[in-house]
mmCIF file of all heavy atoms in Angstrom:
data_model
loop_
_atom_site.group_PDB
_atom_site.id
_atom_site.type_symbol
_atom_site.label_atom_id
_atom_site.label_comp_id
_atom_site.label_asym_id
_atom_site.label_seq_id
_atom_site.Cartn_x
_atom_site.Cartn_y
_atom_site.Cartn_z
ATOM 1 N N MET R 1 97.865 74.152 96.670
ATOM 2 C CA MET R 1 99.157 73.892 97.311
ATOM 3 C C MET R 1 100.314 74.503 96.523
ATOM 4 O O MET R 1 101.209 75.118 97.108
ATOM 5 C CB MET R 1 99.368 72.390 97.484
ATOM 6 C CG MET R 1 98.505 71.794 98.568
ATOM 7 S SD MET R 1 98.873 70.080 98.917
ATOM 8 C CE MET R 1 98.286 69.279 97.445
ATOM 9 N N VAL R 2 100.300 74.351 95.211
ATOM 10 C CA VAL R 2 101.375 74.913 94.387
ATOM 11 C C VAL R 2 101.357 76.435 94.471
ATOM 12 O O VAL R 2 102.394 77.075 94.681
ATOM 13 C CB VAL R 2 101.251 74.436 92.925
ATOM 14 C CG1 VAL R 2 102.224 75.183 92.032
ATOM 15 C CG2 VAL R 2 101.486 72.938 92.831
ATOM 16 N N LEU R 3 100.184 77.024 94.329
ATOM 17 C CA LEU R 3 100.074 78.482 94.415
ATOM 18 C C LEU R 3 100.488 78.974 95.795
ATOM 19 O O LEU R 3 101.173 79.991 95.919
ATOM 20 C CB LEU R 3 98.648 78.936 94.089
ATOM 21 C CG LEU R 3 98.424 80.448 94.072
ATOM 22 C CD1 LEU R 3 99.276 81.107 93.000
ATOM 23 C CD2 LEU R 3 96.955 80.748 93.831
ATOM 24 N N GLY R 4 100.122 78.247 96.837
ATOM 25 C CA GLY R 4 100.526 78.618 98.193
ATOM 26 C C GLY R 4 102.033 78.647 98.350
ATOM 27 O O GLY R 4 102.592 79.550 98.998
ATOM 28 N N GLY R 5 102.721 77.692 97.748
ATOM 29 C CA GLY R 5 104.177 77.677 97.797
ATOM 30 C C GLY R 5 104.791 78.872 97.090
ATOM 31 O O GLY R 5 105.757 79.477 97.573
ATOM 32 N N VAL R 6 104.224 79.242 95.952
ATOM 33 C CA VAL R 6 104.730 80.407 95.217
ATOM 34 C C VAL R 6 104.463 81.686 96.012
ATOM 35 O O VAL R 6 105.329 82.558 96.107
ATOM 36 C CB VAL R 6 104.103 80.495 93.806
ATOM 37 C CG1 VAL R 6 104.523 81.776 93.099
ATOM 38 C CG2 VAL R 6 104.488 79.277 92.976
ATOM 39 N N ILE R 7 103.293 81.797 96.611
ATOM 40 C CA ILE R 7 102.980 82.976 97.435
ATOM 41 C C ILE R 7 103.944 83.069 98.610
ATOM 42 O O ILE R 7 104.449 84.147 98.933
ATOM 43 C CB ILE R 7 101.508 82.937 97.913
ATOM 44 C CG1 ILE R 7 100.567 83.148 96.725
ATOM 45 C CG2 ILE R 7 101.255 83.969 99.003
ATOM 46 C CD1 ILE R 7 99.100 82.896 97.038
ATOM 47 N N TRP R 8 104.216 81.945 99.251
ATOM 48 C CA TRP R 8 105.160 81.916 100.379
ATOM 49 C C TRP R 8 106.523 82.462 99.946
ATOM 50 O O TRP R 8 107.093 83.330 100.592
ATOM 51 C CB TRP R 8 105.299 80.493 100.915
ATOM 52 C CG TRP R 8 106.358 80.368 101.953
ATOM 53 C CD1 TRP R 8 107.636 79.947 101.768
ATOM 54 C CD2 TRP R 8 106.243 80.698 103.332
ATOM 55 N NE1 TRP R 8 108.325 79.982 102.953
ATOM 56 C CE2 TRP R 8 107.486 80.442 103.926
ATOM 57 C CE3 TRP R 8 105.204 81.175 104.126
ATOM 58 C CZ2 TRP R 8 107.730 80.651 105.275
ATOM 59 C CZ3 TRP R 8 105.443 81.384 105.469
ATOM 60 C CH2 TRP R 8 106.685 81.120 106.032
ATOM 61 N N GLU R 9 107.044 81.945 98.842
ATOM 62 C CA GLU R 9 108.351 82.384 98.350
ATOM 63 C C GLU R 9 108.322 83.847 97.923
ATOM 64 O O GLU R 9 109.285 84.577 98.127
ATOM 65 C CB GLU R 9 108.812 81.513 97.177
ATOM 66 C CG GLU R 9 109.396 80.202 97.598
ATOM 67 C CD GLU R 9 110.643 80.366 98.456
ATOM 68 O OE1 GLU R 9 111.617 81.015 98.019
ATOM 69 O OE2 GLU R 9 110.637 79.845 99.578
ATOM 70 N N TYR R 10 107.225 84.272 97.321
ATOM 71 C CA TYR R 10 107.077 85.654 96.880
ATOM 72 C C TYR R 10 107.214 86.608 98.070
ATOM 73 O O TYR R 10 108.004 87.544 98.037
ATOM 74 C CB TYR R 10 105.716 85.823 96.199
ATOM 75 C CG TYR R 10 105.420 87.231 95.723
ATOM 76 C CD1 TYR R 10 105.932 87.685 94.523
ATOM 77 C CD2 TYR R 10 104.602 88.077 96.463
ATOM 78 C CE1 TYR R 10 105.651 88.961 94.071
ATOM 79 C CE2 TYR R 10 104.314 89.345 96.015
ATOM 80 C CZ TYR R 10 104.846 89.790 94.815
ATOM 81 O OH TYR R 10 104.552 91.054 94.379
ATOM 82 N N PHE R 11 106.453 86.357 99.123
ATOM 83 C CA PHE R 11 106.515 87.249 100.278
ATOM 84 C C PHE R 11 107.822 87.090 101.053
ATOM 85 O O PHE R 11 108.320 88.054 101.632
ATOM 86 C CB PHE R 11 105.301 87.051 101.194
ATOM 87 C CG PHE R 11 104.079 87.720 100.645
ATOM 88 C CD1 PHE R 11 103.038 86.968 100.129
ATOM 89 C CD2 PHE R 11 103.976 89.098 100.607
ATOM 90 C CE1 PHE R 11 101.915 87.586 99.592
ATOM 91 C CE2 PHE R 11 102.865 89.733 100.075
ATOM 92 C CZ PHE R 11 101.825 88.967 99.566
ATOM 93 N N ARG R 12 108.394 85.911 101.036
ATOM 94 C CA ARG R 12 109.675 85.689 101.709
ATOM 95 C C ARG R 12 110.791 86.502 101.047
ATOM 96 O O ARG R 12 111.712 86.946 101.711
ATOM 97 C CB ARG R 12 110.011 84.193 101.662
ATOM 98 C CG ARG R 12 111.041 83.752 102.654
ATOM 99 C CD ARG R 12 111.179 82.244 102.672
ATOM 100 N NE ARG R 12 111.840 81.721 101.503
ATOM 101 C CZ ARG R 12 113.165 81.693 101.335
ATOM 102 N NH1 ARG R 12 113.944 82.176 102.252
ATOM 103 N NH2 ARG R 12 113.681 81.178 100.247
ATOM 104 N N ASN R 13 110.706 86.716 99.747
ATOM 105 C CA ASN R 13 111.743 87.424 98.994
ATOM 106 C C ASN R 13 111.361 88.844 98.601
ATOM 107 O O ASN R 13 112.157 89.522 97.954
ATOM 108 C CB ASN R 13 112.069 86.641 97.715
ATOM 109 C CG ASN R 13 112.851 85.403 98.006
ATOM 110 O OD1 ASN R 13 114.046 85.474 98.258
ATOM 111 N ND2 ASN R 13 112.188 84.263 97.995
ATOM 112 N N LEU R 14 110.196 89.300 98.987
ATOM 113 C CA LEU R 14 109.689 90.591 98.512
ATOM 114 C C LEU R 14 110.593 91.762 98.860
ATOM 115 O O LEU R 14 110.782 92.671 98.062
ATOM 116 C CB LEU R 14 108.272 90.825 99.053
ATOM 117 C CG LEU R 14 107.499 91.976 98.437
ATOM 118 C CD1 LEU R 14 107.354 91.796 96.930
ATOM 119 C CD2 LEU R 14 106.129 92.078 99.073
ATOM 120 N N HIS R 15 111.184 91.765 100.030
ATOM 121 C CA HIS R 15 112.002 92.899 100.458
ATOM 122 C C HIS R 15 113.485 92.564 100.512
ATOM 123 O O HIS R 15 114.256 93.288 101.132
ATOM 124 C CB HIS R 15 111.516 93.412 101.814
ATOM 125 C CG HIS R 15 110.105 93.920 101.751
ATOM 126 N ND1 HIS R 15 109.751 95.041 101.039
ATOM 127 C CD2 HIS R 15 108.961 93.430 102.265
ATOM 128 C CE1 HIS R 15 108.450 95.238 101.145
ATOM 129 N NE2 HIS R 15 107.941 94.267 101.877
ATOM 130 N N ASN R 16 113.881 91.499 99.855
ATOM 131 C CA ASN R 16 115.279 91.100 99.804
ATOM 132 C C ASN R 16 115.934 91.817 98.629
ATOM 133 O O ASN R 16 115.712 91.473 97.484
ATOM 134 C CB ASN R 16 115.385 89.580 99.654
ATOM 135 C CG ASN R 16 116.808 89.105 99.683
ATOM 136 O OD1 ASN R 16 117.744 89.882 99.653
ATOM 137 N ND2 ASN R 16 116.962 87.799 99.725
ATOM 138 N N ASP R 17 116.762 92.807 98.900
ATOM 139 C CA ASP R 17 117.373 93.611 97.847
ATOM 140 C C ASP R 17 118.377 92.845 97.000
ATOM 141 O O ASP R 17 118.765 93.295 95.935
ATOM 142 C CB ASP R 17 118.053 94.848 98.451
ATOM 143 C CG ASP R 17 117.047 95.839 99.002
ATOM 144 O OD1 ASP R 17 115.901 95.839 98.525
ATOM 145 O OD2 ASP R 17 117.412 96.603 99.913
ATOM 146 N N ASP R 18 118.829 91.693 97.470
ATOM 147 C CA ASP R 18 119.813 90.902 96.739
ATOM 148 C C ASP R 18 119.173 89.950 95.738
ATOM 149 O O ASP R 18 119.866 89.166 95.111
ATOM 150 C CB ASP R 18 120.668 90.079 97.715
ATOM 151 C CG ASP R 18 121.495 90.964 98.632
ATOM 152 O OD1 ASP R 18 121.819 92.094 98.223
ATOM 153 O OD2 ASP R 18 121.812 90.514 99.742
ATOM 154 N N SER R 19 117.861 90.000 95.592
ATOM 155 C CA SER R 19 117.204 88.969 94.767
ATOM 156 C C SER R 19 116.238 89.554 93.740
ATOM 157 O O SER R 19 115.122 89.092 93.612
ATOM 158 C CB SER R 19 116.460 87.997 95.680
ATOM 159 O OG SER R 19 115.424 88.684 96.361
ATOM 160 N N ARG R 20 116.676 90.522 92.965
ATOM 161 C CA ARG R 20 115.792 91.099 91.950
ATOM 162 C C ARG R 20 115.325 90.059 90.939
ATOM 163 O O ARG R 20 114.173 90.036 90.540
ATOM 164 C CB ARG R 20 116.491 92.230 91.212
ATOM 165 C CG ARG R 20 116.528 93.498 91.968
ATOM 166 C CD ARG R 20 117.071 94.587 91.114
ATOM 167 N NE ARG R 20 116.791 95.839 91.772
ATOM 168 C CZ ARG R 20 117.185 96.997 91.331
ATOM 169 N NH1 ARG R 20 117.899 97.058 90.236
ATOM 170 N NH2 ARG R 20 116.877 98.076 91.976
ATOM 171 N N THR R 21 116.237 89.198 90.512
ATOM 172 C CA THR R 21 115.877 88.176 89.539
ATOM 173 C C THR R 21 114.901 87.175 90.147
ATOM 174 O O THR R 21 113.965 86.734 89.481
ATOM 175 C CB THR R 21 117.134 87.451 89.024
ATOM 176 O OG1 THR R 21 118.101 88.433 88.638
ATOM 177 C CG2 THR R 21 116.829 86.583 87.845
ATOM 178 N N VAL R 22 115.113 86.840 91.405
ATOM 179 C CA VAL R 22 114.194 85.939 92.106
ATOM 180 C C VAL R 22 112.811 86.575 92.153
ATOM 181 O O VAL R 22 111.802 85.935 91.841
ATOM 182 C CB VAL R 22 114.698 85.629 93.533
ATOM 183 C CG1 VAL R 22 113.633 84.915 94.345
ATOM 184 C CG2 VAL R 22 115.967 84.807 93.491
ATOM 185 N N ARG R 23 112.750 87.838 92.516
ATOM 186 C CA ARG R 23 111.450 88.526 92.609
ATOM 187 C C ARG R 23 110.778 88.658 91.247
ATOM 188 O O ARG R 23 109.561 88.551 91.143
ATOM 189 C CB ARG R 23 111.610 89.885 93.271
ATOM 190 C CG ARG R 23 111.901 89.745 94.770
ATOM 191 C CD ARG R 23 112.047 91.062 95.441
ATOM 192 N NE ARG R 23 113.340 91.617 95.029
ATOM 193 C CZ ARG R 23 113.716 92.868 95.241
ATOM 194 N NH1 ARG R 23 112.912 93.702 95.837
ATOM 195 N NH2 ARG R 23 114.891 93.289 94.861
ATOM 196 N N LEU R 24 111.568 88.879 90.188
ATOM 197 C CA LEU R 24 111.004 88.940 88.840
ATOM 198 C C LEU R 24 110.346 87.607 88.491
ATOM 199 O O LEU R 24 109.191 87.568 88.049
ATOM 200 C CB LEU R 24 112.091 89.279 87.814
ATOM 201 C CG LEU R 24 111.664 89.191 86.343
ATOM 202 C CD1 LEU R 24 110.587 90.214 86.037
ATOM 203 C CD2 LEU R 24 112.874 89.370 85.435
ATOM 204 N N GLY R 25 111.079 86.523 88.676
ATOM 205 C CA GLY R 25 110.528 85.200 88.371
ATOM 206 C C GLY R 25 109.298 84.877 89.190
ATOM 207 O O GLY R 25 108.297 84.378 88.664
ATOM 208 N N LEU R 26 109.353 85.165 90.475
ATOM 209 C CA LEU R 26 108.207 84.879 91.342
ATOM 210 C C LEU R 26 107.005 85.745 90.989
ATOM 211 O O LEU R 26 105.861 85.276 91.014
ATOM 212 C CB LEU R 26 108.593 85.064 92.809
ATOM 213 C CG LEU R 26 109.498 83.987 93.380
ATOM 214 C CD1 LEU R 26 110.043 84.425 94.735
ATOM 215 C CD2 LEU R 26 108.767 82.659 93.493
ATOM 216 N N SER R 27 107.235 87.004 90.639
ATOM 217 C CA SER R 27 106.132 87.891 90.245
ATOM 218 C C SER R 27 105.447 87.382 88.986
ATOM 219 O O SER R 27 104.216 87.392 88.880
ATOM 220 C CB SER R 27 106.643 89.315 90.011
ATOM 221 O OG SER R 27 107.104 89.881 91.202
ATOM 222 N N MET R 28 106.249 86.926 88.031
ATOM 223 C CA MET R 28 105.688 86.399 86.793
ATOM 224 C C MET R 28 104.888 85.118 87.054
ATOM 225 O O MET R 28 103.757 84.978 86.581
ATOM 226 C CB MET R 28 106.816 86.130 85.791
ATOM 227 C CG MET R 28 107.473 87.391 85.272
ATOM 228 S SD MET R 28 109.005 87.081 84.364
ATOM 229 C CE MET R 28 108.402 86.183 82.946
ATOM 230 N N ALA R 29 105.479 84.199 87.811
ATOM 231 C CA ALA R 29 104.800 82.931 88.109
ATOM 232 C C ALA R 29 103.534 83.177 88.933
ATOM 233 O O ALA R 29 102.498 82.543 88.699
ATOM 234 C CB ALA R 29 105.748 81.993 88.845
ATOM 235 N N LEU R 30 103.611 84.095 89.871
ATOM 236 C CA LEU R 30 102.456 84.380 90.715
ATOM 237 C C LEU R 30 101.331 85.045 89.930
ATOM 238 O O LEU R 30 100.157 84.695 90.093
ATOM 239 C CB LEU R 30 102.869 85.258 91.905
ATOM 240 C CG LEU R 30 101.790 85.556 92.927
ATOM 241 C CD1 LEU R 30 101.198 84.270 93.495
ATOM 242 C CD2 LEU R 30 102.370 86.420 94.051
ATOM 243 N N GLY R 31 101.653 85.991 89.053
ATOM 244 C CA GLY R 31 100.616 86.641 88.238
ATOM 245 C C GLY R 31 99.852 85.645 87.384
ATOM 246 O O GLY R 31 98.624 85.645 87.340
ATOM 247 N N GLY R 32 100.586 84.763 86.712
ATOM 248 C CA GLY R 32 99.934 83.736 85.900
ATOM 249 C C GLY R 32 99.199 82.721 86.743
ATOM 250 O O GLY R 32 98.078 82.311 86.419
ATOM 251 N N GLY R 33 99.814 82.319 87.842
ATOM 252 C CA GLY R 33 99.192 81.320 88.715
ATOM 253 C C GLY R 33 97.907 81.823 89.348
ATOM 254 O O GLY R 33 96.926 81.078 89.441
ATOM 255 N N LEU R 34 97.905 83.070 89.782
ATOM 256 C CA LEU R 34 96.688 83.638 90.384
ATOM 257 C C LEU R 34 95.544 83.673 89.381
ATOM 258 O O LEU R 34 94.405 83.342 89.708
ATOM 259 C CB LEU R 34 96.959 85.042 90.912
ATOM 260 C CG LEU R 34 97.674 85.143 92.237
ATOM 261 C CD1 LEU R 34 98.070 86.592 92.526
ATOM 262 C CD2 LEU R 34 96.820 84.597 93.365
#
């Protein structure tokens, strides 16, 4: 469930050009979580 939430947010923000910091944090959390 936790990993699913991070994946959801990751893909929701993947192409949002205004959220580089968000994508950095999500990429880091997702890499470790996976």
